[in-house]
């Protein structure tokens, strides 16, 4: 499930957990080489990829960061070129430099290379440790457990609160 949250003042458009993405191999048949109209549906809802200001990945499993990128000219490139991609440093390290010290997970093979590294190479990643306020009323908070660097998003508006927990309650 994807959540697009627009601030009440229209200042930012924020995307949380951009699903699996198209054209990616996966040992789970349901996710294998998807071809779905994700971007077209966003457009129908009034959001273009270049309109997104923040992409928050609660963690870096394939079904939470796949649409970070899309294949263009044989290369994985950022889907949301004007966005800052918010990831916890511990999660980034687990799938990057510390990968060898963790068990491999078949359904996540190649995800870092396709969906995370191109974002970092484009200079669009913000690696955070702990909490970070994105906008007035919207912040990320560390929620390790499902993964070492899992995070959630807290939304506060007009006295109400909502939490986007990723797989915190798996």
């Amino acid at each position: 499930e994807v959540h697009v949250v627009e601030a009440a003042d229209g200042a930012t458009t924020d995307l949380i957990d951009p699903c699996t993405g198209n054209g990616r191999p996966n040992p789970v048949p349901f996710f294998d080489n998807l071809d779905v109209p994700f971007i077209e549906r966003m457009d129908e809802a009034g959001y273009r990829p270049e309109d997104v200001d923040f992409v928050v990945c609660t963690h870096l499993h394939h079904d939470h960061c796949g649409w970070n990128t899309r294949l263009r000219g044989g290369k994985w490139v950022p889907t949301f070129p004007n966005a800052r991609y918010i990831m916890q440093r511990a999660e980034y390290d687990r799938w990057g430099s510390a990968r060898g010290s963790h068990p491999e997970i078949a359904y996540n093979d190649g995800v870092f290379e396709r969906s995370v590294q191109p974002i970092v190479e484009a200079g669009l990643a913000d690696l955070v440790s702990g909490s970070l306020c994105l906008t007035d009323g919207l912040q990320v908070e560390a929620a390790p457990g499902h993964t070492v660097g899992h995070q959630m998003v807290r939304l506060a508006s007009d006295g109400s609160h909502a939490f986007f927990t990723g797989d915190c309650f798996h």
Side-chain angles (χ1 to χ4, degrees):
E1 183 174 351
V2 177
H3 306 280
V4 178
V5 179
E6 187 169 326
D9 62 3
T12 64
T13 300
D14 310 308
L15 178 67
I16 302 169
D17 283 346
C19 302
T20 297
N22 283 344
R24 298 151 202 272
N26 194 290
V28 179
F30 180 80
F31 295 115
D32 190 39
N33 289 303
L34 287 177
D35 184 15
V36 298
F38 181 84
I39 299 301
E40 294 80 1
R41 287 178 181 156
M42 282 185 64
D43 187 55
E44 289 170 7
Y47 298 96
R48 299 172 307 146
E50 51 274 0
D51 297 335
V52 176
D53 297 295
F54 293 106
V55 174
V56 178
C57 298
T58 59
H59 59 295
L60 299 179
H61 284 164
H62 73 97
D63 55 332
H64 292 264
C65 67
W67 273 108
N68 282 358
T69 59
R70 54 184 163 174
L71 197 57
R72 293 291 183 258
K75 183 178 178 185
W76 294 103
V77 299
T79 302
F80 310 100
N82 299 320
R84 300 302 306 168
Y85 290 73
I86 312 301
M87 304 171 216
Q88 287 288 321
R89 178 169 292 284
E91 187 74 356
Y92 174 82
D93 290 345
R94 183 267 183 256
W95 296 104
S97 61
R99 180 182 295 174
S101 61
H102 295 274
E104 291 298 317
I105 301 172
Y107 64 75
N108 230 49
D109 283 350
V111 170
F112 186 85
E113 293 77 12
R114 288 187 299 267
S115 302
V116 178
Q117 198 61 43
I119 298 307
V120 173
E121 290 171 359
L124 299 176
D126 289 327
L127 303 178
V128 300
S129 296
S131 297
L132 173 70
C133 182
L134 299 176
T135 65
D136 185 31
L138 188 68
Q139 71 179 34
V140 297
E141 299 177 9
H146 177 63
T147 64
V148 68
H150 193 285
Q151 65 184 351
M152 64 181 179
V153 180
R154 176 192 301 249
L155 173 66
S157 179
D158 294 328
S160 295
H161 299 270
F163 294 90
F164 300 89
T165 61
D167 286 343
C168 196
F169 298 105
H170 210 278

